[in-house]
Amino acid sequence: MTPSEQRRLRFRNIPLRIVLPNLVTLLALCMGLTAIRYGIEGRFETAVTAVMAAAVLDGLDGRLARAIKGTSRFGAELDSLSDFVDFGVAPGLLLYLWTLHEIKGLGWFAVLVFAIAGALRLARFNVTMDDPTKPAWHAEFFVGMPAPAGAVTVLLPLYLHFSVLELPASKAMTPFYIVYVLGIAFLMASRIPHFSGKRIGRIPRDLVIPVLFGVGVTALLLAIYPMELLAVLSVAFLAAIPLSVRRYNKLAKAEAEKAAALKEA
């Protein structure tokens, strides 16, 4: 290849469909960093909103890339780095600035453990994402709590503080918050299966109206009672973990029995 051909290859135009998902990812990264800024300023409710916006954008960029066929290795790496900041660093710092700093050593230890768990979770996801040996039913589950879900659920004490329950941000309660953060970090780093929701495809025709009604009611509740709704959703997600484990074990057992039957035949 001649030098002129190499230069043309290096500076060739990049399709807009490749750029758009990366722009959404960068916007999510900006939301995560903005959440940290609002936390430093003591505006924790606004900071929570920024983290939620980052989670929504994180869910959109991948779907947008697949819909317009704009996936790329660069976009995947950028998404992982953005997720680490948005869901591994920002939530822990918000909790530390809110009340974990009351017990500085243990509070900062919990923040570090949460960030490390987020990094390990993202790294494991990247490594196993394209594993061709996985059974098809594995697509129904995440291995460990996803980083966005971990970021949303770890902020549960903050939701309860700003909800009608007004959970106190006192030094006496800080040890319980630290234990909770470490528990969420364990779920992220563990291999406990969680429902992924990836198999949710088309909505049956007879359920379109109920689904639209449910989405509308959820949007209204989020606008009127944001902290209360986020707390309910976090508790519901945690309560669903035993169900996902049970479903995973059932499918794994069925597959093992099928493999044994084929082997005997």
Side-chain angles (χ1 to χ4, degrees):
M1 185 179 295
T2 64
S4 60
E5 290 175 335
Q6 291 179 353
R7 285 195 296 271
R8 283 197 299 270
L9 181 62
R10 188 184 308 166
F11 297 106
R12 69 182 186 276
N13 294 330
I14 299 175
L16 185 61
R17 61 183 173 83
I18 301 293
V19 177
L20 283 177
N22 294 330
L23 291 176
V24 177
T25 302
L26 289 176
L27 185 57
L29 176 60
C30 292
M31 288 295 99
L33 293 172
T34 301
I36 296 174
R37 172 204 163 185
Y38 285 133
I40 294 172
E41 295 176 354
R43 300 163 62 182
F44 293 106
E45 291 183 89
T46 308
V48 168
T49 302
V51 172
M52 297 306 111
V56 171
L57 292 170
D58 177 71
L60 290 177
D61 60 1
R63 287 172 174 78
L64 177 63
R66 290 188 291 271
I68 64 177
K69 298 181 179 180
T71 57
S72 65
R73 182 62 184 272
F74 175 84
E77 297 297 332
L78 179 63
D79 184 65
S80 292
L81 293 172
S82 174
D83 286 354
F84 175 67
V85 175
D86 295 341
F87 311 127
V89 176
L93 285 178
L94 290 183
L95 290 172
Y96 183 80
L97 293 168
W98 174 56
T99 190
L100 296 190
H101 66 274
E102 295 287 352
I103 305 179
K104 295 182 179 179
L106 284 178
W108 187 244
F109 171 76
V111 172
L112 292 179
V113 171
F114 181 80
I116 291 170
L120 294 175
R121 174 63 181 80
L122 292 167
R124 183 174 60 200
F125 176 79
N126 291 340
V127 170
T128 60
M129 182 171 51
D130 299 322
D131 186 0
T133 63
K134 290 193 304 184
W137 58 269
H138 275 211
E140 297 182 20
F141 304 93
F142 287 118
V143 180
M145 181 179 287
V152 173
T153 55
V154 80
L155 293 175
L156 177 60
L158 203 56
Y159 308 150
L160 295 176
H161 173 71
F162 289 105
S163 70
V164 293
L165 297 178
E166 296 184 354
L167 197 68
S170 61
K171 189 172 183 178
M173 292 294 293
T174 301
F176 298 100
Y177 300 149
I178 291 174
V179 171
Y180 177 74
V181 172
L182 293 175
I184 298 298
F186 167 77
L187 290 174
M188 293 172 65
S190 72
R191 299 189 63 84
I192 297 175
H194 292 66
F195 287 125
S196 69
K198 291 183 177 180
R199 289 295 183 88
I200 300 176
R202 296 185 177 182
I203 302 172
R205 187 179 297 274
D206 56 336
L207 294 180
V208 171
I209 298 301
V211 168
L212 291 176
F213 177 76
V215 171
V217 170
T218 301
L220 287 174
L221 290 174
L222 188 60
I224 301 173
Y225 302 107
M227 295 300 169
E228 289 80 0
L229 181 60
L230 288 172
V232 170
L233 293 176
S234 298
V235 172
F237 183 83
L238 293 173
I241 295 176
L243 300 178
S244 65
V245 173
R246 182 179 178 183
R247 173 67 175 170
Y248 182 93
N249 291 336
K250 182 179 180 180
L251 293 174
K253 182 179 179 181
E255 183 189 14
E257 291 175 350
K258 182 179 178 181
L262 291 174
K263 187 175 181 180
E264 291 176 358

